[in-house]
């Protein structure tokens, strides 16, 4: 490829200026390379299997169930709380507990984002809290 | 060679054509690979702050169940019905050591649909699920955005 760039004669250059093209390509490559390492992240949850004739070891701590109800009510067991006080309340409850298990359940038409948010708050209180999703079927003991 | 012909001056420019070639090929490779890297169907994930990394969800044989915003269910990339989930998951985890099932739920999906899927997965003998969420640094959308107090 002859690279006659003006030269001594001072004539016009025949070559296309590829520098902007390379600039654009480099930026595109960098964008695609950055998008790649978006690794999935998430919240781990338990779905305990039903006990088959196996009696659970009795412990005194009652199970904690966070309920997200469709009229905008949030409850820890039977105590109504708000989204702002959910974290501190849970922190208070789990401060003294050895078995950090929490169940989350919601009304049927609650968007999943709120369930995820409730789990998120619990994990924020203590990442070692094991969160289970309580479904109506599970609650019936099946 | 150039120095035998004094009329043609020595070029001082770098020949960028091979560079452009390589760049174009790299670009095409990345463009093709990026959509393929994603496992399962694409749903709008809920946002969460206190997430953990789920390296297992990136594996080729990861069992991924997705729930779309209108309640449709997907096992991997295939749309399935609720009663196919249990069987499909059972088959998928039979040979695996890590029996975690990755659940991708659209943030607008109703809890009833999620509960149904969780029940179906549980029936397959799975103890651990991982709810995939989008990692954010700070919760910017208050729960009131969903009509909650």
């Amino acid at each position: 490829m002859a690279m006659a760039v003006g030269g001594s004669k001072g004539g016009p250059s025949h070559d296309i200026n590829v520098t902007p093209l390379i600039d654009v390509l480099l930026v595109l490559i960098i964008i695609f390379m950055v998008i790649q390492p978006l690794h999935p992240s998430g919240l781990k949850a338990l779905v305990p299997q039903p006990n088959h004739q196996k009696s659970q070891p009795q412990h005194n701590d009652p199970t904690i169930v966070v309920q997200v109800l469709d009229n905008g009510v949030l409850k820890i067991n039977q105590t109504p709380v708000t989204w702002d006080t959910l974290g501190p309340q849970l922190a208070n409850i789990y401060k003294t507990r050895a078995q950090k298990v929490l169940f989350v359940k919601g009304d049927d038409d609650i968007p999943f984002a709120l369930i995820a948010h409730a789990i998120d708050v619990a994990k924020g209180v203590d990442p070692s809290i094991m969160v289970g999703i309580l479904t109506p079927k599970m609650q019936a003991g099946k | 060679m150039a120095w035998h012909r004094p009329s043609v001056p020595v070029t001082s420019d770098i020949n960028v054509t091979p560079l452009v070639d390589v760049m174009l090929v790299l670009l095409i490779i990345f463009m093709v690979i990026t959509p393929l890297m994603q496992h399962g169907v694409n749903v709008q994930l809920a946002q969460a702050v206190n997430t953990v990394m789920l390296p297992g969800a990136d594996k080729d044989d990861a069992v991924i169940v997705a729930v779309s915003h209108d309640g449709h269910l997907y096992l991997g990339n295939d749309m399935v019905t609720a009663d196919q989930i249990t069987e499909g998951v059972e088959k998928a985890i039979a040979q695996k050591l890590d029996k975690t099932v990755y659940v991708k739920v659209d943030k607008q999906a109703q809890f009833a649909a999620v509960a149904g899927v969780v029940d179906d997965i549980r029936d397959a003998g799975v103890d651990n699920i991982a709810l995939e969420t989008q990692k954010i640094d700070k919760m910017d959308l208050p729960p009131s955005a969903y009509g909650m107090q």
Side-chain angles (χ1 to χ4, degrees):
Chain A
M1 191 179 127
M3 296 284 277
V5 190
S8 53
K9 286 171 189 164
S13 163
H14 304 292
D15 286 329
I16 304 165
N17 184 7
V18 284
T19 319
L21 176 69
I22 294 173
D23 290 352
V24 170
L25 287 179
L26 269 171
V27 169
L28 278 174
I29 286 173
I30 290 166
I31 288 171
F32 278 108
M33 285 171 85
V34 168
I35 288 174
Q36 286 278 304
L38 279 179
H39 288 300
S41 62
L43 306 158
K44 289 193 172 175
L46 299 175
V47 277
Q49 296 294 323
N51 283 337
H52 296 296
Q53 295 104 33
K54 215 170 33 171
S55 62
Q56 193 119 27
Q58 290 295 314
H59 45 85
N60 296 325
D61 297 339
T63 314
I64 298 294
V65 180
V66 171
Q67 301 183 71
V68 188
L69 306 175
D70 58 3
N71 45 5
V73 178
L74 189 67
K75 281 183 178 177
I76 301 177
N77 286 356
Q78 295 307 319
T79 320
V81 288
T82 64
W83 284 106
D84 294 330
T85 54
L86 177 65
Q89 289 270 15
L90 288 177
N92 208 21
I93 290 166
Y94 286 100
K95 203 162 54 184
T96 53
R97 283 185 171 231
Q99 201 165 27
K100 294 176 193 279
V101 181
L102 170 85
F103 284 94
V104 177
K105 77 170 202 177
D107 272 345
D108 277 355
D109 45 3
I110 290 294
F112 175 72
L114 288 175
I115 306 291
H117 187 50
I119 299 173
D120 192 20
V121 169
K123 293 278 186 186
V125 167
D126 186 345
S128 63
I129 293 177
M130 288 183 287
V131 178
I133 293 179
L134 197 60
T135 64
K137 193 178 162 192
M138 218 182 279
Q139 215 169 8
K142 284 180 205 158
Chain B
M1 287 299 186
W3 53 85
H4 292 303
R5 287 176 290 162
S7 62
V8 180
V10 179
T11 47
S12 54
D13 285 334
I14 304 167
N15 184 4
V16 284
T17 317
L19 178 68
V20 175
D21 291 351
V22 171
M23 293 277 175
L24 270 171
V25 169
L26 272 176
L27 181 63
I28 291 164
I29 288 172
F30 275 112
M31 284 173 82
V32 169
I33 283 178
T34 309
L36 293 179
M37 291 294 283
Q38 206 169 34
H39 292 279
V41 292
N42 207 358
V43 295
Q44 269 226 302
L45 294 174
Q47 297 180 326
V49 181
N50 305 293
T51 58
V52 288
M53 295 295 273
L54 302 172
D58 247 352
K59 290 183 181 152
D60 286 336
D61 60 346
V63 185
I64 298 175
V65 177
V67 183
S68 70
H69 66 99
D70 46 4
H72 289 137
L73 309 176
Y74 298 85
L75 182 60
N77 286 314
D78 311 318
M79 197 163 143
V80 291
T81 58
D83 42 329
Q84 288 174 294
I85 294 261
T86 307
E87 196 188 337
V89 169
E90 218 161 31
K91 210 177 280 173
I93 62 164
Q95 302 296 323
K96 290 187 66 184
L97 283 174
D98 171 26
K99 296 200 188 297
T100 305
V101 172
Y102 299 91
V103 184
K104 291 171 88 169
V105 186
D106 192 284
K107 60 182 173 188
Q108 297 293 351
Q110 295 188 336
F111 181 69
V114 183
V117 167
V118 167
D119 279 335
D120 292 335
I121 293 171
R122 183 165 156 266
D123 287 345
V126 173
D127 276 320
N128 292 299
I129 61 170
L131 302 162
E132 285 191 34
T133 52
Q134 189 196 339
K135 167 101 178 128
I136 51 168
D137 293 329
K138 194 174 164 292
M139 188 52 77
D140 52 2
L141 206 63
S144 56
Y146 295 92
M148 299 291 287
Q149 286 162 2

